[in-house]
Amino acid sequence: MTPAPTIDLERARRETPGTAAVNHLNNAGAALMPRPVLQAVQDHLAREAEIGGYEAADAVEAALETGVYQSIASLINAAPAEVAVIENATRAWDMAFYGVRLQPGDRILTAEAEYSSNVIAFFHQAQRRGAVVETVPSDETGQIDLKALGRALDVKKRKGRVGLVAVTHIPTNGGLVNPAVAIGKLARAAGVPYLLDACQSVGQMPVDVVEIGCDMLSATGRKFLRGPRGTGFLFVRQDFLDSIDPPFLDNHAATWVAPHRYALRPDARRFENWESFIAGKLGLKAAVDYALGWGLEPIHARTCGLAQRMRDGLATIPGARVLDIGREKCGIVSFALKSQPAEAVQQALAAARINVSTSTVFGTRWDMERRGIDKLVRASPHYYNSEEEVDAMVEAVGRL
Ligand SMILES: *Cc1c(COP(=O)(O)O)cnc(C)c1O
């Protein structure tokens, strides 16, 4: 039997230049890029400056037209033709969501920990299409209540067709992991399209679109995947491509084939647009390859271990309250102090070169209001963080 692979921390840190300068516990915001990602972006920018932007793209055509799609596809167990590279997760999600053919009266089922931009888009589309937004309550552990979701999907018991199940895998404001696979089973059994916001899960844990059974999935480059900012991607299942009416088309998404006719691209790249951050796209490929090189299982195990170490440490501090909910928890830690508001904690830690962030009711209003929380501190370690960094952060919080 081969032993389970573990993370070589010394190498992970050596390959992450930022670890020399900061204790970076804001990987849910934007992770520190590893050297191969930085190199891929810098090399291409230099190439553009030297020989011209179009000419530089031609020189890396294989990576741009094939490689990046193959890499992302292997990361999420998809086919390359099911992947579109889009400038961020929000726009990727929008291209899918705004294209779902909702009819008047269709219900959109979502969860309490849903992300603000998604909820705003639900309401926007509900106004335009006459759809109805329905929030499935959480169970006693804090994750989406699967029994309630099952009931909501049972059209015999409820009025109105369900047009879409759209949920966030891991919310922006804490350690909750929603049961994406179980949700997928219910959505599939009911024959309802399923859109998963996997922005915080891709890069920190194995995410398999076949196992999850989602029709659409969005993710970003800069968070746990450690890619450059301004990058993201969308997955759309092959059989589902034509069920989406793309909200925008251009001469990359489609071809002007006759004076009064265009033809849509056959693959998921119909959701892309022509001009893009080419260096970023190469950086995204490098980030995906780098994550696959470590393996998502060891990344997940180490990240969750560090987060739990942090929660255990914070729990010993009088006046500190750990706020993470859910049956399964991930690498995001959320907490509040009695003595200080969240921004003051963030600033005090920043002064000690410890990067954390804060999360407010404006990001996840339904969840925060239900729990009576206005603001919290969000600390998100990654596999390249050391146990010493986690302990230093806990000690610094203890001194506040
Ligand atoms: C960060 C985040 C987003 C938005 O991703 P962008 O790449 O900034 O568009 C969407 N959903 C969740 C849950 C997030 O945490």
Side-chain angles (χ1 to χ4, degrees):
M1 227 178 77
T2 46
T6 52
I7 299 288
D8 175 352
L9 182 62
E10 196 274 323
R11 172 161 88 84
R13 294 181 69 74
R14 184 163 23 91
E15 292 175 355
T16 305
T19 55
V22 286
N23 179 353
H24 191 71
L25 300 169
N26 189 15
N27 294 288
L32 295 178
M33 282 182 281
R35 221 178 277 284
V37 173
L38 184 62
Q39 199 68 50
V41 176
Q42 285 179 339
D43 284 355
H44 194 72
L45 289 177
R47 210 176 286 127
E48 287 183 342
E50 277 158 23
I51 65 169
Y54 284 34
E55 294 74 10
D58 285 345
V60 292
E61 195 190 342
L64 280 180
E65 296 299 318
T66 319
V68 64
Y69 299 92
Q70 284 172 342
S71 293
I72 294 170
S74 26
L75 178 71
I76 59 170
N77 191 23
E82 297 176 315
V83 174
V85 177
I86 298 178
E87 57 266 36
N88 55 61
T90 305
R91 219 25 119 231
W93 186 94
D94 285 343
M95 289 303 288
F97 172 71
Y98 279 96
V100 173
R101 293 182 165 90
L102 294 172
Q103 307 296 323
D106 273 2
R107 295 150 62 216
I108 300 169
L109 301 184
T110 187
E112 282 186 322
E114 196 63 14
Y115 185 63
S116 50
S117 294
N118 303 354
V119 174
I120 290 165
F122 293 151
F123 288 138
H124 184 215
Q125 195 67 331
Q127 281 163 13
R128 304 198 313 178
R129 299 267 180 117
V132 181
V133 184
E134 206 172 300
T135 315
V136 176
S138 307
D139 69 13
E140 67 287 352
T141 70
Q143 69 174 26
I144 187 173
D145 186 332
L146 291 167
K147 288 204 187 85
L149 176 62
R151 283 194 297 275
L153 280 164
D154 187 348
V155 281
K156 278 173 280 167
K157 287 196 186 130
R158 305 284 303 227
K159 277 205 222 63
R161 193 178 85 114
V162 180
L164 179 69
V165 170
V167 296
T168 296
H169 197 183
I170 294 175
T172 194
N173 68 330
L176 167 71
V177 183
N178 263 321
V181 175
I183 296 168
K185 287 208 175 88
L186 291 170
R188 181 130 312 177
V192 173
Y194 175 23
L195 166 58
L196 186 68
D197 176 342
C199 209
Q200 295 290 4
S201 49
V202 166
Q204 78 154 303
M205 61 172 62
V207 171
D208 179 330
V209 293
V210 175
E211 188 195 8
I212 291 172
C214 53
D215 301 292
M216 302 155 278
L217 175 146
S218 56
T220 203
R222 74 179 184 282
K223 295 180 180 174
F224 285 94
L225 205 45
R226 310 183 66 191
R229 295 199 64 171
T231 63
F233 67 85
L234 172 69
F235 154 82
V236 177
R237 195 165 56 76
Q238 184 72 49
D239 297 345
F240 196 73
L241 274 179
D242 290 329
S243 305
I244 302 177
D245 179 18
F248 307 112
L249 290 176
D250 71 352
N251 58 8
H252 170 86
T255 310
W256 192 7
V257 291
H260 299 279
R261 198 160 54 82
Y262 67 83
L264 214 51
R265 279 190 73 115
D267 55 20
R269 294 183 65 186
R270 63 177 65 172
F271 302 108
E272 296 181 346
N273 55 76
W274 193 84
E275 172 60 357
S276 67
F277 178 30
I278 303 288
K281 208 165 161 176
L282 296 170
L284 178 63
K285 178 187 185 307
V288 171
D289 293 343
Y290 191 72
L292 289 170
W294 288 107
L296 273 297
E297 293 283 359
I299 287 176
H300 183 213
R302 178 161 174 84
T303 304
C304 286
L306 289 173
Q308 196 50 48
R309 182 184 181 100
M310 188 181 284
R311 287 187 199 107
D312 292 345
L314 290 169
T316 65
I317 298 172
R321 198 156 58 100
V322 176
L323 298 169
D324 298 311
I325 53 173
R327 186 165 292 139
E328 182 191 343
K329 293 186 184 66
C330 68
I332 303 180
V333 177
S334 57
F335 67 98
L337 293 190
K338 260 208 194 88
S339 58
Q340 308 226 25
E343 320 86 88
V345 177
Q346 181 195 13
Q347 281 159 21
L349 293 176
R353 293 188 163 229
I354 301 171
N355 295 345
V356 299
S357 72
T358 60
S359 198
T360 73
V361 71
F362 294 106
T364 42
R365 178 170 291 278
W366 288 333
D367 170 64
M368 299 282 265
E369 282 190 347
R370 177 177 67 88
R371 294 195 280 151
I373 303 165
D374 183 42
K375 272 186 195 137
L376 49 76
V377 185
R378 183 185 71 179
S380 42
H382 211 338
Y383 65 91
Y384 64 79
N385 288 117
S386 66
E387 280 73 5
E388 291 72 26
E389 285 180 315
V390 167
D391 296 348
M393 177 269 190
V394 171
E395 275 165 39
V397 171
R399 282 195 296 272
L400 298 174

